[in-house]
Amino acid sequence: MSSDIHGGIQTDSHGEILGGPTLPQHRHLVTEIPGPISRALHERKTASVSGGVSVGLPAYIAAAGGGVVVDVDGNSLIDLAAGIAVTSVGNAAPKVAEGVARQVHQFTHTCFMVVPYGGYVEVCERLAELTPGSHAKKSVLLNSGAEAVENAVKIARVATGRDAVVVFDHAYHGRTNLTMAMTAKNAPYKNGFGPFAGEVYRAPMSYPFREPAPIKGAEAAERAITMIEKQVGAENLAAIVIEPIQGEGGFIVPAEGFLPALSEWCTKHGVVFIADEIQTGFCRTGDWFACENEGVVPDLITTAKGIAGGLPLAAVTGRAEIMDAVHPGGLGGTYGGNPVACAAALGAIETMKELDLAARARHIGQIMGRRLHELAERYPSIGEVRGRGAMMAIEVVKPGTITPDAELAGAVNRICHSEGVLTLTCGTFGNVFRFLPPLVIDDALLEEGLAVVEQAFAAAGAPTRRESAVVG
Ligand code: PLZ
């Protein structure tokens, strides 16, 4: 395998480009991380890309597939990030790559609003079949998650004739003006970027690890509903928007009963219940959609990320009568439902069905759960192991407290990177270490990646339970 700085293209001895599942599935470091070619590229990046765009690990990627990403220096890293829950079917997955290649040779763009094509319609048909609920559904296709959330709010406002939108503590919904208002965390997402869109209200989330006293899901929902009724008023409220498991905010799984109670209250008061499944959707949590876990049927659901195997595509899907409340021409955009992205989505969805990636996500969840619980036994800095399926995290705290330890989480993350494992952090307090592997990762590779995480805790100097007992 050779690599070249220009395209960083990896080829085999016959000059065939390597990528996708044809890449050797192993962790293999040939330079320090990042290596010299990556460092040279990063200098060019610093000179030419806005300083506002930061990079988690400046190892420049030449190829990726299965459970690995290969950098321009020839290092093969274990991928526990999947591009933030996007390449669930694997990078350059065969059906995605074939669909894209075919489509890109037929036509690349017409604008669906000018002259349409079948791929868009087919993706909407799949979405109607796969999303929760057996009611009549329709969709609109867009380019990004934030755009989907914006459109879901537009649709809910037209359908209800009301203005207000309720979101939750720790929520993440995007970086556009309306979705910045909906996102909870100030830095880096919002700081200095205001003024923000109005009529967005924030309700208390169910965050079991950080509740002062244990509280049931239904009670946490009641707490949120009281706030909504007193501070907003159901009659002014167009929609509640919630991530069934919060992503960027810290992989927060609300207490059982929280989501059903909110959804029921919405139905009773004519409020549109919008599930933001941009991170949780498309098999990530072990179901097609995370709402299914408690039998919640959202009125509208926003999807993106995993939908198209890495091509930019997003959607709002929901009750036909709500989706049709919008006047003709009210929804759209030049690229929304681009034919190449639609071909990718059809390939990705077929792959998820064929390989039963929801079952794969549950299996990955078992492996991660077992290893992370073992790790938490050893290190009292791990306050909680949580998540579902292939969306799991550990919350890192000062031992014996719930005080966030972002420093330790960051140190472990950096060590994983230098050891060739691509990991991510998240959380309002920056102290959550999260795992989002591609759903096609080999068991052995996943186990190896998690073993590196374990070693990283030791290397970062995290006290073991025995040591902290001695100190404390
Ligand atoms: N809703 C639940 O997770 C995107 C953001 C990364 P876009 N999450 C990754 C970053 O720092 O920008 C996300 C999400 C949920 C909405 C979005 C927004 O999706 O495709 O990034 O716009």
Side-chain angles (χ1 to χ4, degrees):
M1 194 157 64
S2 68
S3 69
D4 102 42
I5 186 173
H6 301 294
I9 293 168
Q10 306 282 322
T11 53
D12 64 13
S13 50
H14 309 292
E16 289 287 313
I17 294 175
L18 283 178
T22 61
L23 286 171
Q25 296 295 302
H26 62 184
R27 178 170 65 113
H28 183 62
L29 304 186
V30 295
T31 70
E32 60 189 333
I33 309 281
I37 305 177
S38 278
R39 289 202 300 271
L41 274 168
H42 202 57
E43 259 176 52
R44 286 161 56 186
K45 181 264 181 194
T46 307
S48 61
V49 178
S50 162
V53 184
S54 59
V55 166
L57 167 61
Y60 284 72
I61 298 309
V68 300
V69 293
V70 178
D71 73 14
V72 286
D73 289 286
N75 299 297
S76 176
L77 317 186
I78 299 176
D79 183 7
L80 299 186
I84 323 190
V86 171
T87 50
S88 298
V89 294
N91 241 300
K95 289 228 154 84
V96 172
E98 285 155 22
V100 165
R102 204 179 321 116
Q103 182 58 50
V104 97
H105 281 105
Q106 284 175 314
F107 66 97
T108 47
H109 175 81
T110 63
C111 187
F112 191 75
M113 303 181 303
V114 177
V115 274
Y117 37 88
Y120 189 119
V121 178
E122 243 183 282
V123 170
C124 295
E125 289 170 350
R126 291 293 94 76
L127 283 163
E129 286 159 25
L130 295 169
T131 52
S134 54
H135 52 277
K137 291 175 216 154
K138 294 192 175 183
S139 294
V140 55
L141 301 185
L142 305 141
N143 304 295
S144 69
E147 210 189 342
V149 174
E150 291 250 358
N151 277 277
V153 170
K154 281 164 61 172
I155 294 163
R157 282 178 170 158
V158 165
T160 57
R162 306 171 183 174
D163 292 339
V165 177
V166 161
V167 291
F168 289 82
D169 287 331
H170 312 287
Y172 184 91
H173 297 293
R175 293 174 180 267
T176 57
N177 187 263
L178 173 60
T179 60
M180 270 194 294
M182 296 170 69
T183 289
K185 189 173 176 175
N186 175 47
Y189 307 124
K190 304 165 75 163
N191 198 33
F193 293 141
F196 303 113
E199 287 308 306
V200 175
Y201 300 88
R202 197 167 304 285
M205 180 61 186
S206 164
Y207 188 168
F209 181 65
R210 292 193 173 277
E211 297 286 359
I215 160 170
K216 290 206 164 67
E219 290 159 8
E222 207 41 56
R223 178 176 65 188
I225 288 164
T226 304
M227 177 260 141
I228 296 166
E229 286 178 340
K230 298 301 165 203
Q231 298 184 28
V232 186
E235 63 275 32
N236 302 310
L237 185 58
I240 283 185
V241 186
I242 188 161
E243 301 153 83
I245 297 178
Q246 288 182 321
E248 303 307 306
F251 280 31
I252 300 164
V253 187
E256 197 186 322
F258 183 70
L259 295 171
L262 286 178
S263 146
E264 276 163 35
W265 181 85
C266 284
T267 305
K268 200 163 140 208
H269 295 276
V271 174
V272 180
F273 182 82
I274 304 176
D276 179 347
E277 292 241 22
I278 286 164
Q279 190 153 162
T280 50
F282 286 103
C283 301
R284 177 54 53 187
T285 63
D287 288 303
W288 276 93
F289 295 94
C291 275
E292 291 168 45
N293 188 254
E294 290 190 80
V296 169
V297 177
D299 298 313
L300 299 181
I301 176 167
T302 56
T303 55
K305 291 188 184 279
I307 191 176
L311 276 279
L313 188 72
V316 182
T317 301
R319 295 188 186 282
E321 64 278 16
I322 298 178
M323 296 299 292
D324 280 342
V326 183
H327 47 276
L331 302 175
T334 304
Y335 293 114
N338 167 272
V340 182
C342 286
L346 295 172
I349 290 168
E350 211 179 304
T351 306
M352 287 181 238
K353 284 185 178 170
E354 266 183 23
L355 303 182
D356 194 358
L357 290 186
R360 241 340 260 167
R362 293 194 291 275
H363 174 75
I364 288 171
Q366 277 168 3
I367 295 177
M368 293 200 295
R370 171 174 48 77
R371 290 200 81 123
L372 296 175
H373 280 290
E374 279 167 18
L375 194 64
E377 284 288 303
R378 186 139 18 107
Y379 293 105
S381 306
I382 298 173
E384 189 177 50
V385 177
R386 60 172 179 254
R388 193 184 303 143
M391 180 173 185
M392 293 201 73
I394 49 189
E395 177 150 4
V396 182
V397 292
K398 303 284 184 197
T401 73
I402 59 162
T403 307
D405 192 348
E407 217 174 296
L408 179 59
V412 172
N413 196 39
R414 280 189 297 278
I415 294 167
C416 288
H417 291 176
S418 61
E419 293 300 317
V421 179
L422 189 54
T423 46
L424 298 168
T425 57
C426 66
T428 296
F429 312 105
N431 66 325
V432 179
F433 200 64
R434 61 169 154 172
F435 305 97
L436 289 167
L439 304 179
V440 295
I441 192 170
D442 281 357
D443 285 5
L445 208 56
L446 176 63
E447 297 265 10
E448 185 181 341
L450 294 165
V452 170
V453 172
E454 287 161 19
Q455 289 151 17
F457 266 86
T464 60
R465 217 164 269 285
R466 198 173 317 132
E467 284 159 1
S468 56
V470 172
V471 175

